[in-house]
Amino acid sequence: MDIYRISQNYVEFKFFVYNENNNSSQQAIDFRGELLSSNYEKLDFKIFIDPQKKQDNRRLDFDASCYYTGILLINEKNRSLLANKLSSKIEILDVETDLSEKFYFVNLLTKIDCINKDNKSNSDIMLMVRENNISLKKSNISDNIIFRDDKLSSSYFCTNEFVNFISENDIKGLRFEKVGIAE
């Protein structure tokens, strides 16, 4: 089974970055799959504007955005669709953006021991991650279609089923980079 890391499609679509005027947004880098709703400070994002480009032809009609690989945002139109598909595996929280369309932070709660770390040093594991040649434990992934590794929890990983779900529902803005195989 192929495993993918979820990231932003920077080539086709504009994307969100933190609004540096709101210090609380930096907290998201430290999220590791814990339930946040009880003391969550609303994250604040804005569309990235490249000062080097006079004209940016990338599209603004995205449905999802991914800041780094572990901060997934989804628009209002697809919020319920994603919530119904993933139910108790995610928490959906409000965010502020500079767009008129409403977006939400998808906090992924599913953390599993999925990277095969057996008999591997930390440098071996990091080399697998850097080279997108990660060996994953299929038995631990089980029926999870989107998940975090319990140790490398800042990235969102997914299976073909999740990639197909996004494609079938025409959710635009994400890129799926194959990072390994679950055996």
Side-chain angles (χ1 to χ4, degrees):
M1 164 174 34
D2 292 338
I3 302 297
Y4 302 86
R5 183 181 297 120
I6 303 171
S7 62
Q8 178 64 38
N9 179 346
Y10 297 103
V11 175
E12 261 185 277
F13 298 97
K14 292 185 179 188
F15 55 94
F16 288 119
V17 294
Y18 289 126
N19 184 348
E20 58 273 352
N21 296 327
N22 182 339
N23 293 334
S24 69
S25 292
Q26 291 298 326
Q27 70 180 324
I29 293 173
D30 297 328
F31 294 161
R32 298 289 184 249
E34 66 275 5
L35 199 59
L36 300 172
S37 56
S38 63
N39 60 352
Y40 171 74
E41 289 183 53
K42 194 181 285 191
L43 302 176
D44 191 357
F45 295 93
K46 64 181 183 177
I47 292 294
F48 175 73
I49 297 172
D50 189 343
Q52 305 299 327
K53 291 185 177 181
K54 288 185 179 182
Q55 189 173 15
D56 187 347
N57 294 324
R58 290 178 287 189
R59 298 166 40 194
L60 254 178
D61 64 334
F62 58 86
D63 302 304
S65 186
C66 196
Y67 185 67
Y68 289 115
T69 60
I71 301 169
L72 178 61
L73 303 171
I74 191 83
N75 64 359
E76 177 76 41
K77 180 178 87 173
N78 292 290
R79 175 183 181 232
S80 296
L81 186 69
L82 199 63
N84 291 338
K85 179 72 173 174
L86 300 173
S87 60
S88 65
K89 297 177 187 288
I90 61 171
E91 175 182 41
I92 298 179
L93 302 163
D94 284 341
V95 296
E96 293 290 330
T97 72
D98 58 350
L99 296 180
S100 59
E101 184 176 17
K102 183 79 177 137
F103 277 82
Y104 298 88
F105 167 51
V106 180
N107 183 29
L108 180 57
L109 304 173
T110 307
K111 289 191 301 188
I112 53 178
D113 177 16
C114 62
I115 295 178
N116 186 352
K117 303 169 196 81
D118 300 340
N119 302 319
K120 292 179 181 67
S121 68
N122 283 342
S123 59
D124 291 339
I125 294 167
M126 293 315 296
L127 182 63
M128 282 191 316
V129 171
R130 277 192 305 275
E131 293 180 348
N132 288 335
N133 189 24
I134 305 172
S135 171
L136 296 113
K137 301 174 188 176
K138 187 175 184 176
S139 60
N140 289 13
I141 294 170
S142 184
D143 63 346
N144 292 296
I145 64 170
I146 182 171
F147 51 90
R148 299 174 189 251
D149 178 68
D150 64 342
K151 300 288 188 253
L152 300 173
S153 58
S154 62
S155 291
Y156 285 16
F157 297 102
C158 67
T159 64
N160 287 329
E161 184 178 341
F162 185 77
V163 173
N164 293 338
F165 169 78
I166 295 296
S167 177
E168 289 164 3
N169 289 286
D170 197 30
I171 299 173
K172 301 178 298 290
L174 301 177
R175 180 172 66 98
F176 299 96
E177 180 180 16
K178 183 178 173 188
V179 294
I181 297 174
E183 303 175 292

